Amino acid sequence: MLLSRGLQSCLATMAGHFDYPLYGPSVNIVKKCGAVLSEVLQHKFGCVAIIEGVDFQRDLRAQQKRPTIVPQQRFATWLRSGVKVSVWKADLTSFQADAVVNAANVSLKHYGGLAQALSETGGPLIQRESNDYIGQNGILNTGDAIVLDAGLLPYKKIIHAVGPELSFQTSPDISLAEQLLKRTIRSILDRVQEYRLKTVAIPAISSGLFHFPLPLCATTIVSTVKNYYESLSQTHLPEEILLVNNDEPSVWEMERACKQILTSQLPYTYSQAAVGKTSRPPLKMGNVLLILKKGKIEDQWTDVIVNTTGTDRNLHLGKVSMALLEKAGDRLQKAVYDAHLQGKIIITNGYSLHCKEVYHTFCTDVSEKHLHKNLFQSVLECLKMAAAQKHKSIAFPAIGTGFKFQKEEAAQIMSNAVAHFAQNCQTPMEVHFIITDNDTFKAFEKQMVTLQQKASHSSFTQAGLEPPDESRERKPATPQITLTGYSDETIKEAERWISGLLNSSGTITIRNNFILHFGQREFLELSGLNKNVSIEETFRKGHAEMNLMGTPEDTVLAGLHVEAMLCNIQKEFIKEEASSLGLMSTKNVSFRRKRVDHSSPVFSDRYCEFKKEGLWLVKMETVENPSLETVFKLKKKQLNDCTSKHMLQRIPAQFCDVVSHIGFHVEYAPPADPAYGEGIYFAGTVAAAMKVWEKQNEEYLYFVEAEVLTGNSAPGKPGLILPPSRGSDPFKMYDSVHGGVNVSVIFSGYQAMPKCIFTCKMQ
């Protein structure tokens, strides 16, 4: 049976967005934890959250100790290798980076100065791990650097580095001390490479309690960093080396050393690896730095590069698309064809480009009437998306100047969009306009002069910075969260979750079996949460829960912290499983979810199947994963080509991509009652699946269909962690267990291969 056109239209879901207004206490909650909330929404639902009208505080995980200094960036430049070097005045106990360097002594006793401050803020784990290390390995030597856990500090790791200590009671050997400090900095950078850290905060080691002369200290640190990354022998390059101190003399000396050593060879602005130079100073607008330079868009080293293409997604048309395609390789074209639309943007990997992502827009593929407005909104949407995904830099070509716009028009519209974005931008962002010809460069340069004049007379009021027609984009009258996602159902799932969270009466229950993966670090973090919130962890019938109770605001903040911890655990779990999968399959681990057209016979058949159980099939997707398929075939051979069945598993929305990526695991979808063992459950019919996994008032239900190797099966029973033995030999076990005719349980995820994902809604 084929569906009617009307029903096809009703079933079709399109990517879109939803505005969730914030009122009363919810504004204060989002103010304190906006970054954490955005991270959780991205991980759980694949939605990008853009928060407007809210003045943010520091990240929730940095709230353990209120910063005594507002972080200030004093200087930034890029080395030829693409590594950014910046100078900050900030409090290292509350700064944000992957790792922080502690100026340690040889015995790792953290008393006095920075070491004591980091140890006190990070909790008892800092000193305890240090003591354990010394107990097992002995004291360190000057110049050594080791990596340990960061405890409650807002870092992934802490690098304890021993710099040279000078005494003024005897004549110090400055030359020897300088060499030892160089060795210390190289040891730190070796650890950055070893642990593949992206960002590391380094203070003026040895200059305080260790009495190393501050000017020479700054010069030595900066020159060593420069020389280390100019050797080009490293297998890993970090994104940024942050030279951070909380006292003005140290900050001033670091800035002085950077300017003397680094800017003598480099322009003071972004990516020395990129072609072209900025011929005029960058324009600072709030947290936004607007940079104009000549060059090729495909050579930029920014986090994001913006491309423009047509709705046919053909990158072989248009100068910018062709240039990016030639540099990135054919994988870019395939990714564009396969990618979901997020609002008006397609996001892909940069592949051989020097960027993390490419944003493909369609802003010139509209009628003449809406061209100006569409360009403004497209630039603005790219900027908001980059900020929401925590990118620090984005590069735009001169969009549409080849055929759609006069050069002056494009310059004005794009510059005004950046200025409009700058009014609400909460984090530092570099925006690069990359121009290829002189006339266009002059047009953009003229517009930057105009914006500079406006900046000098006001703080960029709305006047003159609106979309270029009567339908103007204004700052929201009330604070709001704008959600952008792959589909309407993901947005609705996210909206429902936000509403339930922010409107909590003081009790939150988090159901997620990855709670069982919490270790010492996570429990230390939990112990550091608000003391007004009580936390109870339970495990019943195969389900892990965490119940939080307290005042509504404190409970929501603590709940978000727990959700963020779960996100991080799941990311590490996926990373480890993907690595194992890649080794077994000898292939790059990748997957593709391909939507099945509603008009196809196969969709119609499955639609009827779900309809019988009171479910409306909204979407059907096939799953392609060569690595999983290879390992599944190997498992089938191992089980002597045993029989297989096509079966269903009902799964939470947040695990649909995960199961497509790394296959099935017991953590994703525990049944309502694990009556047949502690394995991975599958049901033979939709009706059976609805019984195995009880509905918990969800709006959408998600089913994964898999080919399951059931083989020789035995009756299951509670508590089984492996199939029972066949006969007297304990090493010969059944392939699976069953409960009745419609439920099977396997104990290895590689015995199941995901084939389809069904998104359903109750009729």
Side-chain angles (χ1 to χ4, degrees):
M1 180 192 76
L2 294 179
L3 304 181
S4 68
R5 286 186 178 272
L7 186 53
Q8 292 174 31
S9 176
C10 291
L11 289 174
T13 55
M14 299 292 292
H17 74 277
F18 176 84
D19 293 333
Y20 184 87
L22 299 170
Y23 301 104
S26 63
V27 176
N28 195 44
I29 291 171
V30 174
K31 182 184 296 185
K32 293 180 178 179
C33 62
V36 176
L37 179 60
S38 297
E39 178 184 328
V40 172
L41 284 165
Q42 176 77 44
H43 181 85
K44 286 176 73 75
F45 306 103
C47 288
V48 174
I50 299 172
I51 303 171
E52 296 182 286
V54 176
D55 295 324
F56 292 107
Q57 294 180 9
R58 297 281 289 177
D59 189 290
L60 177 63
R61 286 166 290 182
Q63 294 292 324
Q64 311 295 339
K65 176 180 181 290
R66 293 185 62 84
T68 56
I69 299 172
V70 177
Q72 301 174 12
Q73 181 175 295
R74 296 291 183 82
F75 176 88
T77 191
W78 278 255
L79 304 179
R80 289 194 179 93
S81 59
V83 177
K84 184 177 182 180
V85 178
S86 58
V87 176
W88 291 77
K89 183 176 183 180
D91 182 353
L92 277 169
T93 64
S94 58
F95 198 67
Q96 297 290 297
D98 278 359
V100 62
V101 173
N102 172 37
N105 54 40
V106 294
S107 59
L108 295 184
K109 296 297 183 184
H110 307 306
Y111 50 80
L114 175 63
Q116 183 176 358
L118 291 173
S119 182
E120 289 177 351
T121 306
L125 179 65
I126 302 289
Q127 187 61 68
R128 186 162 61 246
E129 280 207 339
S130 298
N131 293 342
D132 290 345
Y133 182 91
I134 296 298
Q136 295 175 17
N137 301 280
I139 64 171
L140 300 175
N141 295 314
T142 300
D144 287 350
I146 65 161
V147 177
L148 296 176
D149 197 282
L152 299 177
L153 292 167
Y155 304 96
K156 296 177 182 177
K157 297 291 181 183
I158 182 169
I159 302 175
H160 298 285
V162 182
E165 183 173 4
L166 278 67
S167 171
F168 286 113
Q169 296 178 358
T170 60
S171 299
D173 187 338
I174 297 295
S175 178
L176 175 61
E178 183 181 357
Q179 295 305 312
L180 289 171
L181 181 56
K182 288 180 180 180
R183 178 187 167 191
T184 305
I185 300 303
R186 286 194 295 267
S187 296
I188 292 167
L189 301 181
D190 285 343
R191 301 293 84 76
V192 171
Q193 179 174 241
E194 179 183 352
Y195 286 82
R196 305 190 73 80
L197 301 170
K198 293 183 179 179
T199 54
V200 59
I202 303 176
I205 295 173
S206 291
S207 66
L209 297 176
F210 285 19
H211 308 301
F212 196 100
L214 180 57
L216 180 59
C217 174
T219 298
T220 303
I221 291 174
V222 173
S223 62
T224 305
V225 169
K226 171 180 175 290
N227 293 335
Y228 187 92
Y229 289 116
E230 279 191 345
S231 69
L232 299 179
S233 62
Q234 287 71 38
T235 57
H236 165 75
L237 291 174
E239 293 179 2
E240 186 171 5
I241 303 297
L242 305 110
L243 305 175
V244 185
N245 294 277
N246 64 0
D247 64 299
E248 192 62 38
S250 296
V251 175
W252 191 92
E253 287 293 348
M254 285 294 177
E255 185 177 1
R256 187 256 329 146
C258 283
K259 288 179 178 178
Q260 287 181 353
I261 297 168
L262 304 182
T263 60
S264 61
Q265 58 170 8
L266 305 170
Y268 68 94
T269 187
Y270 196 82
S271 188
Q272 289 11 311
V275 174
K277 296 181 180 180
T278 303
S279 65
R280 59 164 290 109
L283 174 59
K284 190 79 164 63
M285 297 179 286
N287 283 317
V288 174
L289 191 69
L290 179 57
I291 298 167
L292 174 66
K293 64 183 177 185
K294 290 182 182 178
K296 297 178 180 179
I297 190 70
E298 65 270 24
D299 289 333
Q300 302 313 301
W301 287 67
T302 48
D303 288 350
V304 177
I305 289 177
V306 176
N307 178 37
T308 57
T309 186
T311 52
D312 60 0
R313 306 191 181 193
N314 186 353
L315 301 185
H316 292 87
L317 303 175
K319 289 184 178 180
V320 172
S321 291
M322 291 170 64
L324 292 174
L325 180 60
E326 183 178 357
K327 180 93 171 184
D330 293 338
R331 290 179 296 172
L332 184 65
Q333 178 66 82
K334 184 179 185 302
V336 170
Y337 283 144
D338 292 345
H340 296 280
L341 192 67
Q342 296 192 36
K344 297 179 181 178
I345 301 172
I346 288 175
I347 300 179
T348 67
N349 192 297
Y351 300 105
S352 297
L353 296 167
H354 305 301
C355 64
K356 296 176 182 177
E357 293 182 327
V358 180
Y359 289 178
H360 306 266
T361 69
F362 308 95
C363 59
T364 59
D365 206 0
V366 295
S367 65
E368 293 289 336
K369 179 180 178 181
H370 300 294
L371 266 177
H372 288 198
K373 175 185 174 183
N374 209 52
L375 175 56
F376 183 97
Q377 292 182 337
S378 293
V379 173
L380 191 61
E381 187 174 356
C382 287
L383 292 167
K384 289 181 177 180
M385 185 73 75
Q389 294 184 326
K390 300 181 181 179
H391 291 310
K392 300 299 183 185
S393 54
I394 183 170
F396 290 88
I399 299 175
T401 53
F403 59 101
K404 291 286 186 178
F405 296 101
Q406 296 293 325
K407 295 174 174 59
E408 292 74 17
E409 289 178 320
Q412 182 179 16
I413 295 168
M414 292 178 66
S415 299
N416 283 350
V418 174
H420 186 88
F421 167 76
Q423 296 174 75
N424 296 311
C425 182
Q426 302 294 326
T427 56
M429 174 74 75
E430 290 185 0
V431 181
H432 298 244
F433 286 162
I434 310 302
I435 312 300
T436 57
D437 66 282
N438 290 332
D439 290 343
T440 306
F441 187 90
K442 289 177 181 178
F444 275 81
E445 188 174 32
K446 181 179 179 182
Q447 189 59 34
M448 284 186 68
V449 172
T450 302
L451 289 179
Q452 181 70 64
Q453 291 171 347
K454 288 182 179 180
S456 64
H457 290 92
S458 67
S459 58
F460 281 91
T461 59
Q462 295 277 69
L465 304 179
E466 302 289 347
D469 70 359
E470 70 280 1
S471 177
R472 300 192 168 193
E473 180 177 325
R474 300 184 181 277
K475 186 177 179 180
T478 57
Q480 69 176 25
I481 301 173
T482 299
L483 295 171
T484 303
Y486 294 135
S487 63
D488 287 340
E489 61 267 15
T490 58
I491 294 171
K492 288 178 181 177
E493 291 267 21
E495 183 272 329
R496 192 164 174 267
W497 179 79
I498 291 175
S499 180
L501 179 77
L502 296 181
N503 294 312
S504 166
S505 60
T507 301
I508 292 176
T509 298
I510 298 173
R511 298 178 178 89
N512 190 324
N513 271 21
F514 277 97
I515 291 171
L516 300 175
H517 290 248
F518 276 11
Q520 184 182 34
R521 178 186 176 92
E522 285 72 33
F523 284 112
L524 272 173
E525 286 194 46
L526 289 175
S527 68
L529 293 179
N530 196 306
K531 302 303 180 184
N532 296 323
V533 178
S534 65
I535 301 175
E536 180 186 21
E537 185 181 348
T538 62
F539 185 72
R540 299 188 187 96
K541 289 190 173 183
H543 290 258
E545 291 186 357
M546 192 164 283
N547 298 293
L548 297 88
M549 292 169 285
T551 61
E553 182 175 319
D554 290 338
T555 304
V556 172
L557 292 173
L560 269 173
H561 195 125
V562 173
E563 291 280 13
M565 291 162 64
L566 286 167
C567 290
N568 289 332
I569 283 176
Q570 288 164 220
K571 288 175 186 175
E572 289 301 316
F573 182 85
I574 292 168
K575 182 179 178 181
E576 291 176 8
E577 288 298 322
S579 177
S580 299
L581 190 60
L583 289 173
M584 286 187 286
S585 65
T586 67
K587 296 180 180 180
N588 291 327
V589 180
S590 63
F591 71 94
R592 181 183 180 189
R593 289 168 60 179
K594 188 176 180 181
R595 188 161 179 170
V596 176
D597 193 272
H598 292 155
S599 62
S600 68
V602 65
F603 184 92
S604 300
D605 291 343
R606 305 314 291 268
Y607 177 84
C608 294
E609 181 183 336
F610 283 98
K611 185 178 181 182
K612 291 177 184 177
E613 304 303 328
L615 297 174
W616 176 22
L617 181 58
V618 176
K619 182 166 61 177
M620 175 181 176
E621 299 167 287
T622 58
V623 177
E624 299 174 4
N625 187 322
S627 296
L628 277 179
E629 190 170 356
T630 298
V631 174
F632 178 76
K633 289 177 179 177
L634 291 172
K635 190 68 176 178
K636 190 171 185 177
K637 285 185 178 180
Q638 182 186 346
L639 299 179
N640 299 316
D641 291 319
C642 71
T643 57
S644 65
K645 299 178 182 178
H646 281 262
M647 306 188 79
L648 295 169
Q649 182 179 94
R650 226 193 90 203
I651 193 168
Q654 73 184 87
F655 295 122
C656 288
D657 261 356
V658 181
V659 77
S660 303
H661 189 180
I662 58 171
F664 293 94
H665 289 272
V666 70
E667 288 88 351
Y668 306 163
D673 182 6
Y676 311 118
E678 305 295 329
I680 304 169
Y681 279 64
F682 291 91
T685 64
V686 177
M690 293 293 285
K691 291 179 181 178
V692 173
W693 294 277
E694 292 179 353
K695 186 174 182 296
Q696 296 182 342
N697 198 33
E698 300 102 329
E699 183 174 358
Y700 291 94
L701 306 181
Y702 300 85
F703 298 83
V704 182
E705 183 176 73
E707 184 180 351
V708 185
L709 299 173
T710 53
N712 293 312
S713 184
K717 62 181 181 180
L720 284 176
I721 59 173
L722 289 172
S725 300
R726 288 192 288 175
S728 59
D729 187 347
F731 296 102
K732 290 185 178 180
M733 294 181 289
Y734 284 93
D735 301 320
S736 68
V737 299
H738 60 265
V741 295
N742 281 326
V743 178
S744 292
V745 183
I746 60 175
F747 297 86
S748 168
Y750 298 133
Q751 285 180 230
M753 175 67 198
K755 293 292 187 180
C756 293
I757 295 178
F758 303 97
T759 302
C760 299
K761 192 174 182 180
M762 296 297 292
Q763 289 183 351

